[in-house]
Amino acid sequence: MLSALSTSQRQAALVFLVLLAFVGLFVAGIGRADPIAGHGWLVLAVSLLSIFAILTRYYDPEPPADRAGSYYDEPVKVGIILAMIWAVVGMFVGDWVAWLLVYPEMTFAEPWASFGRLRPVHTTAVIFGFGGNALIATSFYVVQRTSRVRLAGTLSPLFVLWGYNLFCVLAATGYLWGINQSKEYAEPEWYADLWLVIVWVAYFVLYLRTLARRQEPHIYVANWYYLAFILVVAVLHIVNGLALPLSWAMAKSYPIFSGVQDAMTQWWYGHNAVAFFLTAGFLGMMYYYLPKRAGRPIFSYRLSIISFWGITFFYMWAGSHHLHYTALPHWVQTLGMTFSLMLLIPSWASAGNALLTLNGAWHKVRDDATLRFMMIAAVFYGLSTFEGSFMAIRSVNALSHYTDWTVGHVHAGALGWVAMITFGAIYASVPWLWKRKTMWSPALVEAHFWLALAGTLIYVFAMWNSGIIQGLMWRTYNESGTLAYSFIQSLEAMRPYYIARAIGGVFFLLGALIGCYNIWMTIRAAGSAEALRDDHPQSRPDPALEMGR
Amino acid sequence: MFGLHYKLETKAIALVLAIIGVSSIGGLVEIAPLFTIDQTVEEAPDMRVLTPLELAGRNIYIREGCNACHSQMIRTLRDEVERYGPYSRAVESQYDHPMLWGSKRTGPDLARLGDKYSDAWHAAHLFNPRDLVPQSVMPAYPWLARTQLRTDDLPLHLERLRTLGVPYTQAMIENAAADAAGQAAPNTERAWGVAERYGEATNVRDFDGAQGAPTEMDALVAYLQMLGRQTAIAHAQAGDAP
C-alpha cells in the first residue's frame, strides 16, 4: 500500500503524522486528569506506528510517474480486510451482550465489561466499523469503474480510510473507558466527532474530484447513492453532534440542544443514519454489484430515479415516528407517520428494481451463493422497509415501541439487508481485486450463505415473538381492571427468546468467520494474471452497467 | 422530467446541490418550529435544576449506558400511566442536555422512579440486582460504591450548562464541589448550603449508607431519587398529590 506513494507523498505523510503525534502527546499532557488522556496516548501510539511503517519503506523504489492507466485498488483491498475484522469484532461483542441478557453474570467484574459499555461497542463496530469500511472500500472501487478513471489522489484515499478507522477505534475504546455521549448511534464525544468531520470532508472532496475527472458523460446511479450517503451523513453528524465541551482537556461535553428539541434532533439523525448510511450507501453498492454479478443491466432507469429522489426526500421527515405518544408535539408525530408510509413507495421501487433485474438470471441465483447473498439482501430490504412503515403507524407503534420488536426490525435490516449485500459485494470484489478467477472455496461461500440466512431468521423470529409478547403483557388488564402482569413477569417471559436470539447470533458470527478464512485463503492462493485483464480505465464499459433512458 | 434528470446526471455539482436541497426540507419543517412555537414546552414555575451531586449521578448514568435499557418517557397511554405514573411532560426534560428519553425497555421506565424505593434498596440493587430481584438481567455495578466521586470539575459542568441555558446561579457554580459533598452528608454545615441554594425539597441524605467523601454510588442514587421530582406539574395536571 505504501509503495503506491511517491517520495514527496511519503514526506507529506510523515509531516502530517509527526503533527498528529504531537497533538496526541499534547492531549495526553493537558488531559492527564481526565479519560481523554487515554485517547491522547492512543493517537500518539498510532502516529508513531504509522511513522515507523513509512520509514521502513521510505527508500523503496518509486511508483511509475504516470499511473492514470490503472485503477488505485490498494485502499479498496485494505478497506475490505478492515471491514471483515470489524465484522468479527462487532458480531462477537453483539453475541456476547446477547448472552449477557440470558446469563447476566457471564462477564468480568470490571466496569469496561458491563452490558452498558459493551453494547455501543457492538453497534459502532458493526455499523461504522463493518458497514462504514465496506462502504468506503466499495465506493472507491465503484466510482473508479463507473467513471473509468483512477481515484483523484494517492494519499487522500489512505487518509480517508485510516482516519475513519481511527475514529472507529476512538469511539469503541471510549465506551469501554466510560466516554459516551448517550446519543444513539452518535455516542462518541466531541473530539472524535470533530475528527470524523475532517475525514468526511476529505472523503467528499476526493469523491467529487474523481467524478469530475470521469470519462463517462453520465454519473452512474450507484454514485448518486454514494454521494447522498456522504453528503447527508455529514449534515446529520454535524447538526446532531453540536456540543459544548467542558474544556479542551476533557472528554465530556454537553449537547447544545435539550429535552424535546434534542429528542427530535437525535431521531432526525438516528433515523436518517439508517436512511443514508445503512440504506443509501448500500443501495449504491447494490446498484453496481448486483447487475454486474448477474450480467444484466438494471431493470428500470426510471424506477431508479423515482426511488432515489423519493428516499432522499421522504426519509428526512420520518424520524419523529420514534417519538409517538411522547412529549413531542402531535403535529410532528403525524408528519413522521405520514411520510414513513409514503416511504414505502421508493423503498419497494428499489427492492423491486433489484429483483426484476434478476429476471433471466435466476439460474445464476440458484448456482452462485454470491449473487444469492445480493438477492436475499434485496428481499430483506423489501421486508424490513415494509415492517418499518408498518411500525411507524401510531397505533402499531403503541405496541411495538420500547420492545424487542424494534430490535428485531433493526436486525432484519442490519443482518438481512446490510450484511448480506456487503458479503455479496465482498465475495464479488475479492477475486476481482486479487486477480483470481473465483473465491478460494465457493463451497464455503455457500456455507456462509446458509449460516447467515439461518442466523438472521432465528434472530428475527425470536425478536418478533419476544417483542409482541412484551408489548401485549405490558398492556393486558385482568378482570378487575388492573394491569395483569408485573414488569419482571414480562422479563421472565423473554428468556427463551433471548436464548434463541443469542444462538442466531452465533450462526451469523460463524458465517462471518468462515468468510474471513475464505477471503484469507483467496488472497494467499496463487493468482492467475490473465483474470480480469481488461479491468482498467481504457477498457470498454460493462454492458451490464448501462442505464436505459 | 426524466429528460431533465438525464441532464442532471451529467453535472456533479448540480447533483450535489439537488441532494442537499431535497434532503434539508424535512428536517427544517419539523425541527425549526420546535424552537419557536411557544406551546411546544409548557411552563412549570416550580421547575428546579439538578444539584451538582444529581448532575454527577446523571453523568454516571450516561457513562454506564443505562439509557440503552431504561426509558425516561412515559407515553400518553393508559397502561403506561397506570404502571409508571403521570405521562411525561416536555418541560420535565427542558434542562436535560442531552435528553434521556430512551427507545428500549429491557428494564422498566424510570421517569418517575424518585422516592419509589429507599436509598438502601437502590444501593443494594446497584451493587448486585439479583440480590433483591432474582430474575433480573441488569448488570451489577459493584465499583460505584468504592469509587470516590470526582467533584473538583463540577463548577465547570454547571458553568457550561448555564451557557446552554440552564439557570444555575453564580453561587451554585462557585459552591458546586462543596454542595456535592454536602448533599450526601446530612446535618453538616455544607448540607445547609445545599438546601439554601436548591430548595428545601432537595434530598439531603447519606445515599450510599457509608460515611465519608461522596462516592459514585451517592451520586447515582441521588440522581435516581430525583427522577420525576423536578416539578410537580405532571401530578398537578393528573389531579393527584406528588
Side-chain angles (χ1 to χ4, degrees):
Chain A
M1 181 174 59
L2 295 172
S3 49
L5 301 179
S6 66
T7 303
S8 62
Q9 283 162 340
R10 287 171 204 174
Q11 287 163 349
L14 282 175
V15 170
F16 174 77
L17 286 167
V18 169
L19 284 175
L20 193 64
F22 274 109
V23 171
L25 188 64
F26 180 69
V27 171
I30 60 167
R32 60 193 172 282
D34 192 85
I36 201 175
H39 278 154
W41 292 116
L42 189 97
V43 168
L44 177 66
V46 167
S47 316
L48 291 178
L49 278 175
S50 311
I51 290 170
F52 179 75
I54 293 179
L55 285 179
T56 55
R57 312 289 292 278
Y58 188 78
Y59 291 107
D60 280 10
E62 284 231 17
D66 182 25
R67 287 171 291 174
S70 65
Y71 292 131
Y72 185 25
D73 281 339
E74 278 78 7
V76 183
K77 292 178 178 177
V78 177
I80 284 178
I81 294 169
L82 288 170
M84 289 307 291
I85 293 173
W86 279 108
V88 171
V89 172
M91 290 169 195
F92 171 76
V93 177
D95 206 46
W96 184 8
V97 297
W99 284 111
L100 275 178
L101 290 178
V102 182
Y103 303 109
E105 313 283 355
M106 207 180 74
T107 192
F108 311 98
E110 295 292 328
W112 68 267
S114 83
F115 181 95
R117 296 197 189 188
L118 290 174
R119 181 190 168 275
V121 175
H122 161 61
T123 53
T124 296
V126 172
I127 298 173
F128 297 110
F130 170 53
N133 273 300
L135 285 174
I136 292 175
T138 56
S139 73
F140 285 171
Y141 186 91
V142 170
V143 74
Q144 297 187 85
R145 268 70 184 181
T146 55
S147 307
R148 291 200 295 130
V149 70
R150 192 181 165 87
L151 276 181
T154 311
L155 207 50
S156 68
L158 298 181
F159 170 74
V160 171
L161 188 68
W162 288 109
Y164 180 75
N165 279 277
L166 177 61
F167 163 78
C168 294
V169 170
L170 288 176
T173 53
Y175 311 145
L176 298 177
W177 301 337
I179 301 171
N180 180 340
Q181 220 180 12
S182 90
K183 296 198 139 210
E184 210 156 345
Y185 313 129
E187 290 94 346
E189 272 292 354
W190 60 276
Y191 53 94
D193 283 349
L194 278 179
W195 174 250
L196 184 60
V197 172
I198 297 170
V199 170
W200 216 251
V201 169
Y203 186 19
F204 175 62
V205 170
L206 170 67
Y207 212 83
L208 212 56
R209 286 181 63 216
T210 308
L211 282 179
R213 295 180 186 186
R214 72 186 180 278
Q215 295 190 52
E216 291 280 310
H218 288 264
I219 299 173
Y220 182 66
V221 53
N223 295 313
W224 314 346
Y225 281 102
Y226 281 124
L227 259 186
F229 148 64
I230 299 170
L231 277 169
V232 183
V233 165
V235 174
L236 296 166
H237 173 73
I238 291 171
V239 174
N240 190 47
L242 291 172
L244 189 62
L246 280 187
S247 83
W248 295 109
M250 292 167 105
K252 172 78 187 165
S253 70
Y254 286 102
I256 67 165
F257 303 128
S258 69
V260 61
Q261 292 90 358
D262 186 44
M264 187 57 225
T265 309
Q266 160 59 28
W267 285 111
W268 166 79
Y269 166 88
H271 196 73
N272 290 297
V274 175
F276 289 89
F277 205 98
L278 297 175
T279 303
F282 291 91
L283 281 171
M285 206 184 262
M286 186 191 79
Y287 269 106
Y288 179 82
Y289 289 96
L290 185 120
K292 179 100 179 163
R293 187 78 181 186
R296 298 186 54 81
I298 282 289
F299 169 72
S300 163
Y301 169 67
R302 292 184 173 195
L303 267 186
S304 312
I305 294 175
I306 292 169
S307 57
F308 176 74
W309 291 104
I311 283 173
T312 308
F313 181 65
F314 290 152
Y315 248 115
M316 298 299 266
W317 298 74
S320 52
H321 69 222
H322 290 254
L323 300 167
H324 281 325
Y325 298 103
T326 67
L328 181 77
H330 203 260
W331 64 269
V332 194
Q333 299 177 22
T334 307
L335 272 179
M337 173 172 79
T338 313
F339 277 86
S340 303
L341 289 172
M342 293 196 282
L343 195 51
L344 192 57
I345 298 164
S347 299
W348 274 28
S350 290
N353 211 1
L355 291 174
L356 289 169
T357 300
L358 293 171
N359 272 350
W362 286 100
H363 60 289
K364 291 187 186 170
V365 177
R366 182 192 61 206
D367 298 336
D368 177 11
T370 303
L371 187 58
R372 211 179 314 126
F373 262 119
M374 302 184 206
M375 184 276 287
I376 283 289
V379 171
F380 268 101
Y381 176 63
L383 289 176
S384 52
T385 48
F386 174 79
E387 188 186 26
S389 294
F390 181 62
M391 290 167 81
I393 300 170
R394 204 186 265 117
S395 46
V396 178
N397 198 266
L399 178 90
S400 75
H401 193 54
Y402 293 134
T403 73
D404 286 321
W405 190 356
T406 311
V407 181
H409 169 61
V410 171
H411 283 82
L415 303 174
W417 155 240
V418 170
M420 296 276 193
I421 190 74
T422 304
F423 289 137
I426 288 179
Y427 283 132
S429 324
V430 165
W432 296 341
L433 283 165
W434 275 276
K435 315 285 181 220
R436 311 284 186 260
K437 282 211 172 93
T438 61
M439 287 297 292
W440 177 69
S441 163
L444 285 183
V445 181
E446 194 72 44
H448 181 185
F449 173 80
W450 290 109
L451 279 170
L453 182 60
T456 306
L457 289 176
I458 295 171
Y459 193 112
V460 173
F461 273 94
M463 291 294 97
W464 277 336
N465 275 293
S466 69
I468 293 171
I469 291 173
Q470 240 172 357
L472 290 175
M473 284 179 88
W474 291 346
R475 52 161 61 187
T476 301
Y477 282 83
N478 56 27
E479 279 139 20
S480 51
T482 56
L483 291 167
Y485 299 103
S486 69
F487 190 90
I488 201 74
Q489 283 175 308
S490 75
L491 181 71
E492 278 185 281
M494 296 306 102
R495 192 175 163 87
Y497 306 108
Y498 284 178
I499 294 172
R501 178 253 300 269
I503 291 172
V506 171
F507 277 53
F508 208 86
L509 173 63
L510 268 181
L513 285 169
I514 289 174
C516 286
Y517 178 69
N518 202 0
I519 290 167
W520 177 243
M521 294 307 284
T522 310
I523 295 172
R524 281 188 47 187
S528 55
E530 84 270 21
L532 294 162
R533 211 174 336 182
D534 50 358
D535 186 27
H536 54 75
Q538 286 75 41
S539 58
R540 272 188 340 104
D542 189 326
L545 298 179
E546 266 169 30
M547 300 298 290
R549 275 183 221 182
Chain B
M1 180 184 130
F2 294 109
L4 188 74
H5 199 275
Y6 197 67
K7 290 200 193 86
L8 179 69
E9 281 163 41
T10 61
K11 306 261 183 294
I13 296 293
L15 196 58
V16 165
L17 293 176
I19 291 171
I20 294 180
V22 168
S23 65
S24 356
I25 300 167
L28 285 174
V29 172
E30 290 188 349
I31 300 177
L34 297 181
F35 291 93
T36 54
I37 298 176
D38 286 342
Q39 296 98 308
T40 301
V41 181
E42 54 280 78
E43 300 273 319
D46 64 336
M47 182 76 184
R48 71 170 185 86
V49 294
L50 292 193
T51 65
L53 189 67
E54 292 158 0
L55 180 68
R58 188 173 200 271
N59 288 335
I60 293 167
Y61 184 98
I62 290 173
R63 182 188 78 190
E64 302 300 343
C66 306
N67 52 296
C69 293
H70 293 286
S71 57
Q72 291 185 19
M73 172 49 63
I74 301 167
R75 296 182 294 170
T76 53
L77 299 168
R78 178 184 161 197
D79 61 291
E80 299 216 353
V81 171
E82 289 185 11
R83 190 181 294 279
Y84 299 116
Y87 61 85
S88 300
R89 307 304 203 268
V91 67
E92 292 180 275
S93 49
Q94 74 166 343
Y95 298 146
D96 286 3
H97 297 265
M99 58 85 207
L100 295 172
W101 293 8
S103 59
K104 178 70 175 55
R105 285 181 188 153
T106 305
D109 187 276
L110 303 183
R112 310 228 173 272
L113 182 67
D115 288 354
K116 208 168 176 180
Y117 302 93
S118 68
D119 296 337
W121 186 92
H122 277 299
H125 183 254
L126 286 164
F127 184 81
N128 183 11
R130 275 155 299 284
D131 288 348
L132 299 177
V133 186
Q135 312 94 317
S136 170
V137 296
M138 185 171 129
Y141 297 94
W143 60 87
L144 295 177
R146 56 173 187 257
T147 310
Q148 214 178 314
L149 182 71
R150 183 173 173 188
T151 56
D152 63 315
D153 60 350
L154 283 171
L156 199 55
H157 284 259
L158 267 57
E159 207 178 316
R160 290 291 175 269
L161 283 171
R162 184 171 68 173
T163 310
L164 295 175
V166 183
Y168 285 113
T169 64
Q170 193 58 34
M172 288 171 173
I173 292 171
E174 281 164 10
N175 294 291
D179 285 349
Q183 197 183 348
N187 303 319
T188 61
E189 206 166 314
R190 285 196 292 189
W192 301 331
V194 178
E196 187 188 313
R197 277 181 282 279
Y198 294 91
E200 292 298 332
T202 311
N203 295 323
V204 178
R205 295 196 295 260
D206 187 5
F207 296 97
D208 67 351
Q211 300 288 318
T215 61
E216 294 195 339
M217 183 68 87
D218 277 312
L220 187 54
V221 174
Y223 172 64
L224 296 177
Q225 293 290 32
M226 179 284 319
L227 285 173
R229 303 267 136 194
Q230 272 172 291
T231 161
I233 187 173
H235 293 277
Q237 288 179 359
D240 53 22

